[in-house]
Amino acid sequence: MQSKGEFTTFVFLSGLLIGIFVSLIGGGGAALYLGVLTSQVGLATAVAVPTSLIAALPALFFGFITQLKIKNVNFKIGNQMIIAAVPGIIVGTFSAQFIPQQLYNWIVGTIFLIMGAMVLIKYVHHSKQTTAGHQPWQAAFFGLLSGLMVGIGGLSGGATTAAGLAILGLTAVEAAGTATYVLTVMSTISLIGHLFTSTFAWQSGLVLMIGAIITPLVIRHLNLDKVNRVLTPFLGLIIIYFGIKMFI
C-alpha cells in the first residue's frame, strides 16, 4: 500500500517522464497523462480527460518551443488544421458530458490502441516522406477530426493529429514538431470549454504539471537522437497497455 507521499512522488515522476516524451515525440506522448490518471490514479475517464489537459499544456508548450528552435514546425499546414479543428473541439468538448462512462472508456481505449499501433508502425518503418503538396480540404478534414477527438478524449486524440500530418506528407520530424504546435492550440481551446462543463482532479493534475514544467531542465542534458530511438517503441507499448486497461 503506497503512502500519500510515495503516491505524490510517483505522479510527479510520471509528469517528468511524460514531459520528456512529449517534447521529443509530439503527438504520441501526451496521451500518457490520461493513461496515468485513469489506470494509476483511478480517476473516472470523464474527470481524467479535462485533468489531462491541465497537466499536458506546459509540456506541449515546452515541446513546441524546443521544436520551433530546431525549425521542425510547419505553420502553414498546422494553421490549416487548427482553423478546421475549432468546430470539432467545441462539439466534442460539450458532448463529452453526455457520453455514458462505459462508452467513454471504449472510445478512449480504442483511440489508445490505434495511437499505440501507429507509434510502433512509425518506429519500424522510419517514414522517409518529404513535405509534398496536398489539398487544403485534406488538412481541414484531419483538423476537424482531430478537434473532435481532442474534445472528447483529451490528448488521447493526438493520434489523429499525428496521422493526419504524416498523410499530408510531412516527414516524421516535421510531423512531431508540428503536432506540438497544433495540440498546444487545440488543447488550450478544449480546456477553456471543459472549465465550464467538466469536473477536474486539481491535485493530481497540478502534480503532473509540475513534473512536466521541470522537463526543459532535464532534456537539455540528453542526447535527443538516442533517447528518441529508445523511448519511441516503449511509448507505443505503454499506450497500448493503457488502452487495454480501459476495456478491463
Side-chain angles (χ1 to χ4, degrees):
M1 188 78 177
Q2 283 185 322
S3 68
K4 184 175 181 180
E6 291 173 334
F7 182 74
T8 301
T9 301
F10 167 78
V11 176
F12 168 79
L13 291 176
S14 297
L16 176 61
L17 292 174
I18 297 169
I20 295 173
F21 278 135
V22 174
S23 296
L24 295 177
I25 300 169
L32 291 173
Y33 290 109
L34 183 57
V36 168
L37 291 169
T38 52
S39 67
Q40 305 304 315
V41 179
L43 298 180
T45 307
V47 178
V49 166
T51 303
S52 71
L53 293 172
I54 292 175
L57 273 174
L60 279 171
F61 178 74
F62 290 132
F64 165 58
I65 295 301
T66 300
Q67 298 287 353
L68 185 61
K69 288 180 178 178
I70 53 180
K71 299 180 180 180
N72 282 340
V73 180
N74 187 314
F75 283 102
K76 180 180 179 181
I77 294 178
N79 289 333
Q80 289 173 344
M81 292 188 71
I82 289 169
I83 292 171
V86 173
I89 294 171
I90 294 172
V91 172
T93 298
F94 287 92
S95 64
Q97 59 187 313
F98 303 110
I99 299 175
Q101 179 65 35
Q102 188 62 36
L103 179 58
Y104 214 143
N105 289 348
W106 277 78
I107 292 173
V108 175
T110 301
I111 295 173
F112 271 145
L113 294 178
I114 294 172
M115 175 183 290
M118 286 170 51
V119 171
L120 292 177
I121 292 171
K122 183 177 177 181
Y123 173 75
V124 171
H125 289 286
H126 297 293
S127 175
K128 297 181 179 179
Q129 289 178 294
T130 57
T131 306
H134 68 279
Q135 298 297 321
W137 69 264
Q138 292 176 305
F141 169 77
F142 287 115
L144 180 62
L145 183 61
S146 298
L148 184 62
M149 291 295 97
V150 168
I152 294 174
L155 272 300
S156 63
T160 51
T161 304
L165 291 168
I167 293 171
L168 289 173
L170 273 66
T171 64
V173 174
E174 287 179 313
T178 306
T180 60
Y181 167 58
V182 174
L183 287 173
T184 296
V185 177
M186 290 200 302
S187 300
T188 301
I189 297 171
S190 183
L191 176 60
I192 292 171
H194 277 292
L195 287 172
F196 295 97
T197 62
S198 304
T199 301
F200 292 79
W202 290 102
Q203 183 176 355
S204 297
L206 292 175
V207 172
L208 275 174
M209 179 194 292
I210 292 170
I213 289 174
I214 297 175
T215 296
L217 301 177
V218 176
I219 201 170
R220 69 180 61 177
H221 300 292
L222 300 176
N223 183 313
L224 301 188
D225 290 333
K226 291 182 179 179
V227 172
N228 211 353
R229 283 197 296 270
V230 174
L231 293 188
T232 300
F234 180 69
L235 169 66
L237 293 173
I238 290 295
I239 293 175
I240 290 173
Y241 165 75
F242 285 145
I244 293 172
K245 290 205 67 173
M246 297 298 292
F247 294 100
I248 299 175

